[in-house]
């Protein structure tokens, strides 16, 4: 049986949570493979809104197995808060959720280090979510990390050693902090974590595949935030691309089936870093207001701009995307004209590929302009209802991106989802 992967092609917040939730009925297992509580996956159904951070979006549906893979970094405190809120709202998860023993733990001091490193960077700071993501992955790669499986044996000793190491670093940076309360909650949450199925998820997932089960891997963040291929150094600290599903779950590349790439009909970014199609005018503001573009984790205003096909082509290439999913097309329902970036002008020269360095100041986007569809599409139920201008827009995108757009989301609710073509 194959594993399908669903991931973001832009700077995150493409709407992955909603799509996983819509696609989940087709799968037996939903698995997260990277990132941590820096993610905020928003789902809306039956008049309720939920924000998931570490827990896979398949958790709402029946008897699916949900796996937090080894590639994820887990903050026990934030996990406990998230899990308890779900249980309170009538979504039991202790049986459904399996957590890899190899996932790395975010320590209270990782969060402090995240803040300290950002402060030290001053003006060139990344604008992280402050959840300790970078320092935790740093400890993983430098072979100093603590893993979920470590909580089962001699944990106090291991924790004390890691904390002491972090304290030395913070001392050398003269960074003031107080973790008393954070640490108390965190240690309580470690006990709570023990109540879950802590598993060797690479064995589990491969055994499930052998039994003929189907798996959907849920990416977090987006390709332009990938530590290797994103707009480095303004990136997150994990591989957000499709290959991350192999390393973050222990799945062989030959098991990957469909790669669903999610994009918004426009573009947003939170945090610092280059964003060639960013709009600073009324149009940008209109997109932000209509799209409610505020961070699910930090509440920060998202930067908004037109769709960037140069970056998208690059993202499709490095992920091997087989099908595209376009989100939030309804946000553009009321625009006279729609623009799509098809090239970058750098120092007077036009290029149509994603360059080594994208610096904010010297990139001028080259746009193709199309008439808007000026139609409220939010109640449509089939692609047959699409206005002509909208069809022209999606035809243009499919031609440029050389990949079919399989699903179009026309609103936040589960039901506002149009699946195109029958197979
Ligand atoms: P970190 O992942 O908290 O280290 O943040 C690094 C960069 O990635 C910052 O620009 C964040 O705003 C961005 N980022 C991290 N997670 C997300 C996400 O889930 N959606 C959008 N941006 C994110
Ligand atoms: Mg998000």
């Amino acid at each position: 049986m194959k594993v399908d992967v669903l991931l973001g092609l832009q700077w995150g917040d493409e709407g992955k949570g909603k799509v996983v939730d819509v696609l989940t009925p087709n799968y037996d297992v939903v698995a997260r493979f990277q990132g941590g509580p820096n993610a905020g996956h928003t789902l809306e159904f039956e008049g309720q809104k939920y924000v998931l951070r570490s827990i896979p979006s398949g958790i709402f549906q029946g008897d699916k197995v949900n796996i937090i893979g080894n590639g994820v970094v887990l903050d026990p405190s934030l996990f406990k808060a998230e899990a308890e809120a779900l249980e309170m709202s009538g979504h039991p998860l202790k049986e459904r959720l399996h957590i890899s023993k190899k996932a790395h733990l975010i320590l209270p001091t990782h969060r402090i280090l995240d803040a300290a490193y950002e402060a030290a960077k001053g003006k060139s700071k990344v604008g992280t979510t402050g959840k300790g993501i970078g320092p935790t992955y740093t400890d993983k790669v430098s072979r100093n990390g603590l893993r979920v499986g470590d909580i089962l044996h001699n944990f106090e000793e291991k924790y004390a050693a890691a904390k002491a190491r972090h304290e030395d670093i913070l001392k050398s940076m003269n960074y003031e902090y107080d973790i008393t309360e954070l640490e108390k909650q965190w240690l309580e949450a470690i006990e709570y974590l023990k109540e879950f199925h802590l598993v060797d998820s690479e064995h589990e997932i491969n055994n499930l595949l052998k039994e003929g089960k189907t798996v959907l891997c849920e990416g977090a963040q987006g390709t332009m935030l990938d530590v290797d291929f994103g707009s480095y150094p303004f990136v997150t600290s994990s591989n957000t691309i499709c290959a991350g599903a192999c390393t973050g779950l222990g799945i062989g590349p030959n098991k990957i089936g469909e790669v669903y790439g999610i994009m918004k009909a426009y573009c947003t970014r939170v945090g610092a870093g280059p964003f060639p199609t960013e709009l600073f005018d009324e149009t940008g503001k209109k997109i932000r207001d209509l799209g409610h573009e505020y961070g699910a984790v930090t509440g920060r205003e998202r930067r908004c701009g037109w769709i960037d096909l140069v970056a998208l082509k690059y993202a499709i290439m490095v992920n091997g995307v087989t099908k595209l999913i376009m989100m939030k097309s309804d946000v553009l329902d009321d625009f006279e004209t729609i623009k799509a970036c098809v090239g970058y002008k750098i120092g007077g020269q036009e290029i149509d590929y994603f360059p080594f360095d994208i610096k904010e100041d010297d990139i001028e986007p080259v746009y193709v302009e199309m008439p808007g569809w000026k139609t409220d599409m939010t109640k449509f139920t089939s692609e047959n209802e699409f206005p002509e201008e909208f069809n022209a827009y999606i035809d243009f995108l499919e031609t440029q991106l050389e990949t079919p757009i399989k699903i179009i989301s026309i609103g936040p609710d589960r039901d506002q989802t149009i699946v195109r073509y029958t197979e």
Side-chain angles (χ1 to χ4, degrees), residues 12-14 16 38-42 296-297 302:
D13 306 311
E14 295 90 354
K16 293 175 288 289
N38 48 348
H41 292 171
T42 310
V297 172
R302 292 186 186 138

Side-chain angles (χ1 to χ4, degrees), residues 11-13 16 38-41 114 126-134 220-222 225 234-237 269-272 297 300 302:
W11 278 279
D13 306 311
K16 293 175 288 289
N38 48 348
H41 292 171
D114 195 352
V126 175
T128 71
T129 59
K131 298 290 179 277
I133 306 298
Q221 291 82 47
L225 290 170
F234 300 98
V235 294
T236 191
S237 299
R269 168 162 209 168
V270 271
V297 172
R300 290 181 289 181
R302 292 186 186 138

Side-chain angles (χ1 to χ4, degrees), residues 57-76:
S57 306
I59 203 73
F60 297 105
Q61 298 193 6
D63 52 358
K64 310 281 172 202
V65 177
N66 285 265
I67 296 179
I68 296 183
N70 56 280
V72 172
V73 288
L74 193 74
D75 182 326

Side-chain angles (χ1 to χ4, degrees), residues 317-331:
M317 176 181 82
V318 297
N319 284 301
V321 171
T322 57
K323 296 208 167 86
L324 289 167
I325 298 177
M326 187 166 82
M327 307 303 288
K328 294 188 114 169
S329 69
D330 52 297
V331 173

Side-chain angles (χ1 to χ4, degrees), residues 9-111:
L9 298 179
Q10 296 161 322
W11 278 279
D13 306 311
E14 295 90 354
K16 293 175 288 289
K18 167 177 164 171
V19 175
V20 183
D21 181 56
V22 169
L23 291 180
T24 304
N26 307 327
Y27 297 90
D28 303 303
V29 181
V30 182
R32 273 278 302 268
F33 57 90
Q34 48 69 232
N38 48 348
H41 292 171
T42 310
L43 289 89
E44 276 182 64
F45 55 88
E46 289 151 11
Q48 285 281 351
K49 188 168 167 171
Y50 303 90
V51 178
L52 297 176
R53 302 169 100 173
S54 301
I55 295 172
S57 306
I59 203 73
F60 297 105
Q61 298 193 6
D63 52 358
K64 310 281 172 202
V65 177
N66 285 265
I67 296 179
I68 296 183
N70 56 280
V72 172
V73 288
L74 193 74
D75 182 326
S77 293
L78 296 177
F79 169 75
K80 179 168 179 268
E82 184 181 336
E84 284 179 342
L86 280 177
E87 296 224 303
M88 292 261 289
S89 63
H91 297 96
L93 68 165
K94 289 228 170 92
E95 286 308 311
R96 295 182 200 169
L97 182 65
H98 299 181
I99 304 172
S100 169
K101 284 194 252 178
K102 294 196 167 84
H104 277 248
L105 290 171
I106 303 177
L107 273 48
T109 37
H110 280 134
R111 275 211 240 175

Side-chain angles (χ1 to χ4, degrees), residues 334-405:
D334 187 31
F335 284 72
E336 287 300 329
T337 49
I338 308 286
K339 290 187 190 178
C341 168
V342 292
Y344 297 153
K345 225 180 218 173
I346 304 176
Q349 258 205 323
E350 195 175 320
I351 57 167
D352 64 355
Y353 59 89
F354 198 76
F356 168 71
D357 222 358
I358 53 168
K359 290 213 176 65
E360 252 168 308
D361 301 337
D362 54 26
I363 289 198
E364 194 192 321
V366 179
Y367 288 114
V368 165
E369 209 171 308
M370 279 160 286
W373 43 94
K374 302 281 280 177
T375 310
D376 176 1
M377 294 187 16
T378 54
K379 300 210 168 53
F380 286 2
T381 54
S382 127
E383 62 176 316
N384 300 330
E385 295 169 87
F386 288 168
E388 200 183 305
E389 294 84 354
F390 185 71
N391 278 328
Y393 180 59
I394 51 180
D395 279 352
F396 175 75
L397 296 180
E398 287 186 325
T399 310
Q400 287 279 321
L401 300 172
E402 297 176 330
T403 317
I405 302 178

